[in-house]
């Protein structure tokens, strides 16, 4: 049986994959692959940047980590606390994120798409700003 990870799920993840997941799980902020790689190297892990990207993609595909694209096009990662569909409000400076459910947005997206003849609708909405700490 595969070992359980800190999120309570199980998977066949290598030692390096567990290290990547550990950095993400122990951070409350969204972090880039480069930042995660730097943290791993500082912690003494011998892992390449390509390996970090590969494991982040696997973890994202498995739903164990959320990925979002910042306004400047960079992908950043974080383990979310909700398994339900949600959105994020993210600080552009420090990467702090808050999960938000937006039922009015969900209804608007569905009704707008259906009114235009679309079905099987999905959407992505992320909100970026400066958190209270970074505004100081």
């Amino acid at each position: 049986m595969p070992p359980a990870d800190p999120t309570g799920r199980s998977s066949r993840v290598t030692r390096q994959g567990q290290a990547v997941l550990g950095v993400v799980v122990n951070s409350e902020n969204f972090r880039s692959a480069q930042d995660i790689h730097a943290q791993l190297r500082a912690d003494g892990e011998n892992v390449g940047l390509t390996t970090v990207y590969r494991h982040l993609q696997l973890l994202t595909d498995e739903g164990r980590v959320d990925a979002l694209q910042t306004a400047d096009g960079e992908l950043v990662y974080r383990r979310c606390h909700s398994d339900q569909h949600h959105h994020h409000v993210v600080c552009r400076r420090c990467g702090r994120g808050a999960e938000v459910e937006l039922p009015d947005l969900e209804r608007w997206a569905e009704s707008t798409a259906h009114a235009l003849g679309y079905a099987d609708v999905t959407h992505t909405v992320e909100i970026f700003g400066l958190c209270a700490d970074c505004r100081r």
Side-chain angles (χ1 to χ4, degrees), residues 15 19 37-47:
R15 177 190 57 77
H37 178 252
Q39 178 71 51
L40 289 166
R41 301 290 289 192
D43 292 345
E45 287 288 336
N46 185 17
V47 60

Side-chain angles (χ1 to χ4, degrees), residues 4-119:
D5 74 12
T7 64
R9 297 180 177 133
S10 64
S11 179
R12 286 200 190 279
V13 177
T14 66
R15 177 190 57 77
Q16 292 174 326
Q18 285 288 10
V20 170
L21 180 60
V23 170
V24 175
V25 165
N26 290 316
S27 178
E28 285 298 312
N29 297 347
F30 280 94
R31 298 178 71 176
S32 69
Q34 294 87 352
D35 184 41
I36 293 166
H37 178 252
Q39 178 71 51
L40 289 166
R41 301 290 289 192
D43 292 345
E45 287 288 336
N46 185 17
V47 60
L49 182 57
T50 301
T51 300
V52 172
Y53 274 109
R54 185 175 69 247
H55 282 290
L56 287 169
Q57 185 61 57
L58 288 169
L59 292 166
T60 301
D61 290 347
E62 292 174 353
R64 299 165 83 185
V65 170
D66 268 5
L68 64 89
Q69 191 169 17
T70 64
D72 62 0
E74 182 176 37
L75 280 177
V76 291
Y77 304 86
R78 187 181 92 163
R79 182 182 65 88
C80 288
H81 303 286
S82 173
D83 290 332
Q84 303 299 316
H85 177 77
H86 61 276
H87 303 280
H88 302 98
V89 179
V90 181
C91 180
R92 285 190 306 265
R93 185 171 296 152
C94 72
R96 177 181 292 150
E99 297 171 26
V100 293
E101 293 182 17
L102 303 169
D104 291 342
L105 174 69
E106 305 303 325
R107 285 189 292 277
W108 174 83
E110 283 286 326
S111 66
T112 300
H114 286 238
L116 296 169
Y118 288 81

